């Protein structure tokens, strides 16, 4: 089944820097979502981008989608220590399943 | 706080036992989703219910079953537990049965099988 794979697996940056994480998937999608998970807690929805959209913004978040390359990127600008978390992309499945990638662990150092 | 509640928060049990995890969706949400998160398997979709009926099935073992009750709360039953079933189990809810909308996750139940 299709699956999003995030890259890198782990990212460590200084507060104030930008963080970019990528997601690749295997088959056609209707939409792609990004979620954040603080250590051991529930996931929080960040943003959804549809297959006919190329870019979307939400606050300090910028998501791009390239359906020809089957990839998406999540950019967090001016990162804060509170952004430290794991970030997952999730792609839809034609049979109503949401498939999550393996996640990127982001550490923002104060 | 997402509005989704899960009980219990932690569960420790022995191999071969059976446990029940409970989820109450956000007020007004008709869909409930169950996920398993483990270190080796990542976040796996198990099953979805919409307004009391099974809507989609993922990598759910035959030893596992779920249901959604008329008041829309859901229970996930895990039986003949094995060490490998130790994981975080999340419930999520959404207003509709479509997956192209935001899902709201509960805090999870951490299951430890000894």
């Amino acid at each position: 089944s299709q699956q999003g794979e995030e890259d890198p697996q782990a990212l460590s940056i200084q507060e104030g820097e930008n963080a970019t994480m990528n997601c690749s998937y295997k088959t056609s999608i209707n939409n792609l979502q990004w979620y954040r998970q603080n250590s051991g807690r529930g996931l929080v929805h960040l943003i959804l981008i549809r297959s006919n959209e190329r870019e979307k913004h939400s606050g300090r978040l910028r998501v791009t989608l390239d359906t020809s390359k089957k990839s998406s990127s999540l950019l967090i600008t001016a990162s804060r220590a509170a952004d430290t978390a794991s970030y997952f992309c999730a792609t839809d499945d034609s049979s109503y399943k949401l498939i999550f990638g393996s996640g990127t662990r982001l550490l923002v150092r104060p | 706080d997402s509005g989704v509640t899960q009980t219990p928060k932690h569960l420790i049990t022995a191999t071969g036992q059976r446990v029940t995890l409970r989820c109450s969706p956000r007020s007004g949400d008709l869909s409930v989703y169950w996920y398993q998160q483990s270190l080796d398997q990542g976040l796996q979709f198990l099953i979805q219910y919409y307004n009391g009926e099974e809507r989609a099935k993922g990598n759910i073992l035959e030893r596992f079953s779920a249901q959604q009750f008329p008041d829309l709360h859901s229970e996930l039953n895990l039986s003949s537990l094995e060490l490998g079933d130790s994981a975080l189990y999340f419930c999520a809810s959404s207003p509709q049965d479509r997956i192209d909308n935001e899902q709201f996750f509960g805090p999870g139940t951490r299951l430890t099988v000894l």
Side-chain angles (χ1 to χ4, degrees), chain A residues 31 33 35 37 40-43 45 48 50 88 92-93 95-98 100, chain B residues 35 37 43 45 48 55-58 88 90 97 99-103 105-106:
Chain A
N31 66 77
Q33 302 182 44
Y35 284 80
Q37 182 182 31
R41 303 183 69 175
L43 280 75
H45 181 265
L48 179 151
R50 300 195 184 280
F88 296 87
D92 67 314
D93 180 292
S95 57
Y96 291 89
K97 302 188 195 77
L98 204 57
F100 284 83
Chain B
Y35 294 89
Q37 187 177 36
L43 194 65
F45 167 75
Q48 178 202 358
R55 193 73 175 91
K57 217 166 185 175
L88 264 172
F90 288 106
D97 65 341
I99 60 170
D100 61 343
N101 54 19
E102 178 179 355
Q103 293 184 18
F105 279 74

Side-chain angles (χ1 to χ4, degrees), chain A residues 13-32:
Chain A
I13 60 173
Q14 203 73 36
E15 201 166 29
E17 294 180 341
N18 295 342
T20 300
M21 49 206 91
N22 305 295
C23 168
S24 60
Y25 55 92
K26 296 177 183 175
T27 61
S28 297
I29 61 172
N30 293 314
N31 66 77
L32 186 145

